[in-house]
Amino acid sequence: MNDQDENVPNPTFHDHPQTSILRQFQDTWMISVFGILLVFGGSSLLFWNEGRAIKTSMALEEGLREIIVPETIDEVFVENDAKLVLVGGPLAITNSLRDDYYGISINAVKLKKTVEVFQWEETEHKKEHTVTNADGEQVTHVDKTYSYHKDWFDHHIDSSSFQN
């Protein structure tokens, strides 16, 4: 042999057998069936939702076409009976709403009572920093501190779970 032949690398061949389509399907049939079910299920949900949107749109358009706006609200017209009628005007409330517990009476359409409690709230503050340990590895440490303040809340805060 001469020196030029020694510098040329020997070609190497690797044999990768082709797997058949049947074998590939046998290996992945469960995932394939799941994917097909997801496609059909998603398509069915999309079709159903679009049908609902079309029905709602058609109902709104029908109401818009058939709405009647009377010239006056002072009298009721018999020809408007069982039809969609749009009326507007000032709101007149003859009876007042009462809350006997608190002794409140007000002329309104709705009386809403919101109960609030003056209580402590805990706020967690996190500070992360990375340090190098004795083995030379980067380790992230999290320092947590807590602060507390009083305020009015419309829900109960369980102070037994506070950290301090």
Side-chain angles (χ1 to χ4, degrees), residues 108-160:
V109 177
K110 180 178 178 181
L111 180 62
K112 181 178 178 182
K113 186 188 316 186
T114 303
V115 177
E116 293 185 342
V117 179
F118 193 67
Q119 57 189 335
W120 288 101
E121 180 185 41
E122 178 182 62
T123 306
E124 180 182 77
H125 307 279
K126 291 183 182 179
K127 184 176 182 182
E128 294 184 6
H129 53 84
T130 305
V131 295
T132 306
N133 65 8
D135 297 332
E137 298 172 339
Q138 296 287 329
V139 178
T140 302
H141 283 280
V142 179
D143 292 330
K144 293 181 183 179
T145 58
Y146 300 90
S147 62
Y148 302 88
H149 75 282
K150 284 185 177 179
D151 204 351
W152 290 97
F153 295 96
D154 62 355
H155 60 280
H156 174 69
I157 298 175
D158 184 12
S159 62
S160 66

Side-chain angles (χ1 to χ4, degrees), residues 39-108:
V39 167
F40 283 122
S43 298
S44 299
L45 282 174
L46 181 63
F47 183 77
W48 171 75
N49 192 41
E50 288 296 321
R52 284 186 39 212
I54 290 170
K55 286 179 185 177
T56 302
S57 176
M58 290 173 59
L60 289 172
E61 287 178 12
E62 179 185 1
L64 189 59
R65 279 191 313 269
E66 295 183 9
I67 195 166
I68 296 171
V69 181
E71 294 178 18
T72 179
I73 60 171
D74 294 332
E75 69 181 270
V76 177
F77 298 105
V78 178
E79 63 266 13
N80 292 341
D81 193 24
K83 293 184 180 175
L84 182 60
V85 179
L86 173 66
V87 295
L91 184 62
I93 301 167
T94 56
N95 296 334
S96 62
L97 298 176
R98 297 184 46 85
D99 184 343
D100 293 330
Y101 185 78
Y102 290 104
I104 297 172
S105 177
I106 186 169
N107 286 339

